[in-house]
PDB file of all heavy atoms in Angstrom:
ATOM      1  N   GLY A  44      -3.929   4.805  -5.378  1.00 88.00           N
ATOM      2  CA  GLY A  44      -4.396   3.626  -6.078  1.00 88.00           C
ATOM      3  C   GLY A  44      -5.680   3.044  -5.544  1.00 88.00           C
ATOM      4  O   GLY A  44      -6.569   3.769  -5.094  1.00 88.00           O
ATOM      5  N   GLU A  45      -5.759   1.751  -5.629  1.00 88.00           N
ATOM      6  CA  GLU A  45      -6.993   1.033  -5.288  1.00 88.00           C
ATOM      7  C   GLU A  45      -7.383   1.171  -3.830  1.00 88.00           C
ATOM      8  O   GLU A  45      -8.544   0.904  -3.481  1.00 88.00           O
ATOM      9  CB  GLU A  45      -6.865  -0.440  -5.655  1.00 88.00           C
ATOM     10  CG  GLU A  45      -6.749  -0.669  -7.137  1.00 88.00           C
ATOM     11  CD  GLU A  45      -6.584  -2.132  -7.489  1.00 88.00           C
ATOM     12  OE1 GLU A  45      -6.492  -2.961  -6.571  1.00 88.00           O
ATOM     13  OE2 GLU A  45      -6.467  -2.446  -8.683  1.00 88.00           O
ATOM     14  N   GLN A  46      -6.463   1.525  -2.969  1.00 91.00           N
ATOM     15  CA  GLN A  46      -6.782   1.674  -1.533  1.00 91.00           C
ATOM     16  C   GLN A  46      -7.019   3.136  -1.163  1.00 91.00           C
ATOM     17  O   GLN A  46      -6.927   3.500   0.000  1.00 91.00           O
ATOM     18  CB  GLN A  46      -5.644   1.084  -0.681  1.00 91.00           C
ATOM     19  CG  GLN A  46      -5.641  -0.383  -0.607  1.00 91.00           C
ATOM     20  CD  GLN A  46      -4.886  -1.029  -1.786  1.00 91.00           C
ATOM     21  OE1 GLN A  46      -4.046  -0.396  -2.377  1.00 91.00           O
ATOM     22  NE2 GLN A  46      -5.240  -2.247  -2.118  1.00 91.00           N
ATOM     23  N   PHE A  47      -7.389   3.958  -2.106  1.00 92.00           N
ATOM     24  CA  PHE A  47      -7.651   5.372  -1.876  1.00 92.00           C
ATOM     25  C   PHE A  47      -8.662   5.568  -0.728  1.00 92.00           C
ATOM     26  O   PHE A  47      -8.521   6.475   0.063  1.00 92.00           O
ATOM     27  CB  PHE A  47      -8.172   6.025  -3.151  1.00 92.00           C
ATOM     28  CG  PHE A  47      -8.465   7.499  -3.013  1.00 92.00           C
ATOM     29  CD1 PHE A  47      -7.412   8.412  -3.028  1.00 92.00           C
ATOM     30  CD2 PHE A  47      -9.759   7.939  -2.888  1.00 92.00           C
ATOM     31  CE1 PHE A  47      -7.672   9.766  -2.910  1.00 92.00           C
ATOM     32  CE2 PHE A  47     -10.017   9.315  -2.740  1.00 92.00           C
ATOM     33  CZ  PHE A  47      -8.984  10.224  -2.759  1.00 92.00           C
ATOM     34  N   ALA A  48      -9.639   4.679  -0.651  1.00 93.00           N
ATOM     35  CA  ALA A  48     -10.690   4.797   0.381  1.00 93.00           C
ATOM     36  C   ALA A  48     -10.112   4.667   1.799  1.00 93.00           C
ATOM     37  O   ALA A  48     -10.693   5.213   2.741  1.00 93.00           O
ATOM     38  CB  ALA A  48     -11.780   3.737   0.165  1.00 93.00           C
ATOM     39  N   VAL A  49      -8.976   4.006   1.967  1.00 94.00           N
ATOM     40  CA  VAL A  49      -8.360   3.897   3.284  1.00 94.00           C
ATOM     41  C   VAL A  49      -8.019   5.313   3.814  1.00 94.00           C
ATOM     42  O   VAL A  49      -8.305   5.623   4.971  1.00 94.00           O
ATOM     43  CB  VAL A  49      -7.098   3.003   3.254  1.00 94.00           C
ATOM     44  CG1 VAL A  49      -6.354   3.066   4.583  1.00 94.00           C
ATOM     45  CG2 VAL A  49      -7.452   1.601   2.909  1.00 94.00           C
ATOM     46  N   ARG A  51      -9.376   8.167   2.888  1.00 93.00           N
ATOM     47  CA  ARG A  51     -10.637   8.874   3.127  1.00 93.00           C
ATOM     48  C   ARG A  51     -11.223   8.440   4.456  1.00 93.00           C
ATOM     49  O   ARG A  51     -11.707   9.243   5.252  1.00 93.00           O
ATOM     50  CB  ARG A  51     -11.626   8.635   2.001  1.00 93.00           C
ATOM     51  CG  ARG A  51     -11.215   9.340   0.730  1.00 93.00           C
ATOM     52  CD  ARG A  51     -12.296   9.424  -0.258  1.00 93.00           C
ATOM     53  NE  ARG A  51     -13.338  10.263   0.326  1.00 93.00           N
ATOM     54  CZ  ARG A  51     -14.495  10.498  -0.286  1.00 93.00           C
ATOM     55  NH1 ARG A  51     -14.713   9.989  -1.467  1.00 93.00           N
ATOM     56  NH2 ARG A  51     -15.410  11.254   0.246  1.00 93.00           N
ATOM     57  N   PHE A  52     -11.206   7.136   4.722  1.00 94.00           N
ATOM     58  CA  PHE A  52     -11.723   6.588   5.982  1.00 94.00           C
ATOM     59  C   PHE A  52     -10.974   7.185   7.174  1.00 94.00           C
ATOM     60  O   PHE A  52     -11.576   7.718   8.105  1.00 94.00           O
ATOM     61  CB  PHE A  52     -11.618   5.066   5.981  1.00 94.00           C
ATOM     62  CG  PHE A  52     -11.609   4.438   7.343  1.00 94.00           C
ATOM     63  CD1 PHE A  52     -12.713   4.492   8.178  1.00 94.00           C
ATOM     64  CD2 PHE A  52     -10.468   3.782   7.804  1.00 94.00           C
ATOM     65  CE1 PHE A  52     -12.699   3.874   9.421  1.00 94.00           C
ATOM     66  CE2 PHE A  52     -10.452   3.192   9.047  1.00 94.00           C
ATOM     67  CZ  PHE A  52     -11.545   3.233   9.866  1.00 94.00           C
ATOM     68  N   TRP A  87     -18.123   5.169   8.140  1.00 94.00           N
ATOM     69  CA  TRP A  87     -17.391   4.067   7.539  1.00 94.00           C
ATOM     70  C   TRP A  87     -17.467   2.803   8.391  1.00 94.00           C
ATOM     71  O   TRP A  87     -17.784   2.912   9.591  1.00 94.00           O
ATOM     72  CB  TRP A  87     -15.922   4.439   7.354  1.00 94.00           C
ATOM     73  CG  TRP A  87     -15.674   5.556   6.399  1.00 94.00           C
ATOM     74  CD1 TRP A  87     -15.819   6.891   6.659  1.00 94.00           C
ATOM     75  CD2 TRP A  87     -15.287   5.438   5.047  1.00 94.00           C
ATOM     76  NE1 TRP A  87     -15.501   7.600   5.514  1.00 94.00           N
ATOM     77  CE2 TRP A  87     -15.164   6.721   4.528  1.00 94.00           C
ATOM     78  CE3 TRP A  87     -15.009   4.336   4.221  1.00 94.00           C
ATOM     79  CZ2 TRP A  87     -14.796   6.971   3.199  1.00 94.00           C
ATOM     80  CZ3 TRP A  87     -14.641   4.610   2.912  1.00 94.00           C
ATOM     81  CH2 TRP A  87     -14.541   5.897   2.407  1.00 94.00           C
ATOM     82  N   HIS A 100     -17.668   2.855   2.865  1.00 91.00           N
ATOM     83  CA  HIS A 100     -18.461   4.021   3.280  1.00 91.00           C
ATOM     84  C   HIS A 100     -19.899   3.562   3.399  1.00 91.00           C
ATOM     85  O   HIS A 100     -20.335   2.648   2.691  1.00 91.00           O
ATOM     86  CB  HIS A 100     -18.321   5.125   2.243  1.00 91.00           C
ATOM     87  CG  HIS A 100     -18.929   6.408   2.674  1.00 91.00           C
ATOM     88  ND1 HIS A 100     -20.232   6.723   2.391  1.00 91.00           N
ATOM     89  CD2 HIS A 100     -18.422   7.426   3.418  1.00 91.00           C
ATOM     90  CE1 HIS A 100     -20.511   7.922   2.890  1.00 91.00           C
ATOM     91  NE2 HIS A 100     -19.420   8.360   3.550  1.00 91.00           N
ATOM     92  N   GLN A 103     -22.029   2.827   0.372  1.00 72.00           N
ATOM     93  CA  GLN A 103     -21.786   1.593  -0.351  1.00 72.00           C
ATOM     94  C   GLN A 103     -22.523   0.414   0.296  1.00 72.00           C
ATOM     95  O   GLN A 103     -22.958  -0.498  -0.413  1.00 72.00           O
ATOM     96  CB  GLN A 103     -20.293   1.266  -0.422  1.00 72.00           C
ATOM     97  CG  GLN A 103     -19.506   2.315  -1.149  1.00 72.00           C
ATOM     98  CD  GLN A 103     -19.968   2.455  -2.588  1.00 72.00           C
ATOM     99  OE1 GLN A 103     -19.931   1.494  -3.362  1.00 72.00           O
ATOM    100  NE2 GLN A 103     -20.431   3.632  -2.958  1.00 72.00           N
ATOM    101  N   LEU A 120     -18.791   1.345 -12.450  1.00 50.00           N
ATOM    102  CA  LEU A 120     -18.567   2.233 -11.304  1.00 50.00           C
ATOM    103  C   LEU A 120     -17.278   1.922 -10.567  1.00 50.00           C
ATOM    104  O   LEU A 120     -17.000   2.543  -9.539  1.00 50.00           O
ATOM    105  CB  LEU A 120     -19.752   2.120 -10.333  1.00 50.00           C
ATOM    106  CG  LEU A 120     -21.102   2.613 -10.862  1.00 50.00           C
ATOM    107  CD1 LEU A 120     -22.155   2.377  -9.837  1.00 50.00           C
ATOM    108  CD2 LEU A 120     -21.016   4.064 -11.263  1.00 50.00           C
ATOM    109  N   SER A 121     -16.510   0.946 -11.045  1.00 56.00           N
ATOM    110  CA  SER A 121     -15.348   0.487 -10.268  1.00 56.00           C
ATOM    111  C   SER A 121     -14.373   1.620  -9.931  1.00 56.00           C
ATOM    112  O   SER A 121     -13.823   1.651  -8.837  1.00 56.00           O
ATOM    113  CB  SER A 121     -14.629  -0.649 -10.988  1.00 56.00           C
ATOM    114  OG  SER A 121     -14.110  -0.152 -12.208  1.00 56.00           O
ATOM    115  N   ASP A 122     -14.166   2.528 -10.833  1.00 51.00           N
ATOM    116  CA  ASP A 122     -13.246   3.645 -10.540  1.00 51.00           C
ATOM    117  C   ASP A 122     -13.804   4.546  -9.431  1.00 51.00           C
ATOM    118  O   ASP A 122     -13.065   5.010  -8.588  1.00 51.00           O
ATOM    119  CB  ASP A 122     -13.005   4.492 -11.796  1.00 51.00           C
ATOM    120  CG  ASP A 122     -12.166   3.717 -12.803  1.00 51.00           C
ATOM    121  OD1 ASP A 122     -11.512   2.739 -12.415  1.00 51.00           O
ATOM    122  OD2 ASP A 122     -12.177   4.118 -13.973  1.00 51.00           O
ATOM    123  N   LEU A 123     -15.103   4.766  -9.435  1.00 56.00           N
ATOM    124  CA  LEU A 123     -15.730   5.609  -8.404  1.00 56.00           C
ATOM    125  C   LEU A 123     -15.708   4.922  -7.033  1.00 56.00           C
ATOM    126  O   LEU A 123     -15.607   5.586  -6.011  1.00 56.00           O
ATOM    127  CB  LEU A 123     -17.175   5.960  -8.772  1.00 56.00           C
ATOM    128  CG  LEU A 123     -17.357   6.773 -10.051  1.00 56.00           C
ATOM    129  CD1 LEU A 123     -18.822   6.908 -10.380  1.00 56.00           C
ATOM    130  CD2 LEU A 123     -16.683   8.119  -9.925  1.00 56.00           C
ATOM    131  N   GLU A 124     -15.782   3.599  -7.022  1.00 61.00           N
ATOM    132  CA  GLU A 124     -15.786   2.867  -5.766  1.00 61.00           C
ATOM    133  C   GLU A 124     -14.482   3.021  -4.990  1.00 61.00           C
ATOM    134  O   GLU A 124     -14.464   2.868  -3.792  1.00 61.00           O
ATOM    135  CB  GLU A 124     -16.091   1.389  -6.009  1.00 61.00           C
ATOM    136  CG  GLU A 124     -17.518   1.161  -6.360  1.00 61.00           C
ATOM    137  CD  GLU A 124     -17.814  -0.310  -6.573  1.00 61.00           C
ATOM    138  OE1 GLU A 124     -16.908  -1.146  -6.421  1.00 61.00           O
ATOM    139  OE2 GLU A 124     -18.945  -0.617  -6.906  1.00 61.00           O
ATOM    140  N   TRP A 125     -13.388   3.293  -5.678  1.00 59.00           N
ATOM    141  CA  TRP A 125     -12.124   3.488  -4.970  1.00 59.00           C
ATOM    142  C   TRP A 125     -12.257   4.567  -3.902  1.00 59.00           C
ATOM    143  O   TRP A 125     -11.565   4.524  -2.904  1.00 59.00           O
ATOM    144  CB  TRP A 125     -11.046   3.879  -5.953  1.00 59.00           C
ATOM    145  CG  TRP A 125     -10.509   2.770  -6.778  1.00 59.00           C
ATOM    146  CD1 TRP A 125     -10.988   1.496  -6.862  1.00 59.00           C
ATOM    147  CD2 TRP A 125      -9.434   2.836  -7.688  1.00 59.00           C
ATOM    148  NE1 TRP A 125     -10.258   0.775  -7.755  1.00 59.00           N
ATOM    149  CE2 TRP A 125      -9.309   1.569  -8.293  1.00 59.00           C
ATOM    150  CE3 TRP A 125      -8.551   3.853  -8.060  1.00 59.00           C
ATOM    151  CZ2 TRP A 125      -8.293   1.294  -9.235  1.00 59.00           C
ATOM    152  CZ3 TRP A 125      -7.600   3.569  -8.978  1.00 59.00           C
ATOM    153  CH2 TRP A 125      -7.459   2.306  -9.562  1.00 59.00           C
ATOM    154  N   ASP A 126     -13.126   5.529  -4.152  1.00 78.00           N
ATOM    155  CA  ASP A 126     -13.336   6.596  -3.197  1.00 78.00           C
ATOM    156  C   ASP A 126     -14.095   6.117  -1.956  1.00 78.00           C
ATOM    157  O   ASP A 126     -14.002   6.730  -0.885  1.00 78.00           O
ATOM    158  CB  ASP A 126     -14.100   7.762  -3.805  1.00 78.00           C
ATOM    159  CG  ASP A 126     -13.255   8.566  -4.782  1.00 78.00           C
ATOM    160  OD1 ASP A 126     -12.070   8.284  -4.889  1.00 78.00           O
ATOM    161  OD2 ASP A 126     -13.831   9.440  -5.427  1.00 78.00           O
ATOM    162  N   PHE A 127     -14.893   5.053  -2.120  1.00 87.00           N
ATOM    163  CA  PHE A 127     -15.825   4.687  -1.066  1.00 87.00           C
ATOM    164  C   PHE A 127     -15.729   3.245  -0.561  1.00 87.00           C
ATOM    165  O   PHE A 127     -16.373   2.882   0.422  1.00 87.00           O
ATOM    166  CB  PHE A 127     -17.270   4.899  -1.564  1.00 87.00           C
ATOM    167  CG  PHE A 127     -17.529   6.323  -1.903  1.00 87.00           C
ATOM    168  CD1 PHE A 127     -17.545   6.773  -3.209  1.00 87.00           C
ATOM    169  CD2 PHE A 127     -17.728   7.267  -0.906  1.00 87.00           C
ATOM    170  CE1 PHE A 127     -17.789   8.095  -3.526  1.00 87.00           C
ATOM    171  CE2 PHE A 127     -17.954   8.604  -1.185  1.00 87.00           C
ATOM    172  CZ  PHE A 127     -18.007   9.008  -2.521  1.00 87.00           C
ATOM    173  N   GLN A 128     -14.909   2.425  -1.181  1.00 90.00           N
ATOM    174  CA  GLN A 128     -14.787   1.046  -0.722  1.00 90.00           C
ATOM    175  C   GLN A 128     -13.490   0.433  -1.243  1.00 90.00           C
ATOM    176  O   GLN A 128     -13.087   0.706  -2.380  1.00 90.00           O
ATOM    177  CB  GLN A 128     -15.951   0.213  -1.215  1.00 90.00           C
ATOM    178  CG  GLN A 128     -15.923  -1.217  -0.712  1.00 90.00           C
ATOM    179  CD  GLN A 128     -17.195  -1.986  -1.113  1.00 90.00           C
ATOM    180  OE1 GLN A 128     -18.117  -1.397  -1.665  1.00 90.00           O
ATOM    181  NE2 GLN A 128     -17.212  -3.249  -0.848  1.00 90.00           N
ATOM    182  N   CYS A 129     -12.836  -0.333  -0.401  1.00 92.00           N
ATOM    183  CA  CYS A 129     -11.644  -1.036  -0.861  1.00 92.00           C
ATOM    184  C   CYS A 129     -11.370  -2.240   0.013  1.00 92.00           C
ATOM    185  O   CYS A 129     -11.945  -2.369   1.092  1.00 92.00           O
ATOM    186  CB  CYS A 129     -10.408  -0.122  -0.879  1.00 92.00           C
ATOM    187  SG  CYS A 129      -9.812   0.296   0.757  1.00 92.00           S
TER     188      CYS A 129
END
Side-chain angles (χ1 to χ4, degrees):
E45 294 177 358
Q46 284 85 25
F47 181 77
V49 172
R51 290 195 64 183
F52 158 66
W87 295 81
H100 189 268
Q103 297 299 300
L120 296 176
S121 64
D122 290 341
L123 297 175
E124 286 181 2
W125 285 5
D126 287 354
F127 299 103
Q128 183 174 353
C129 72

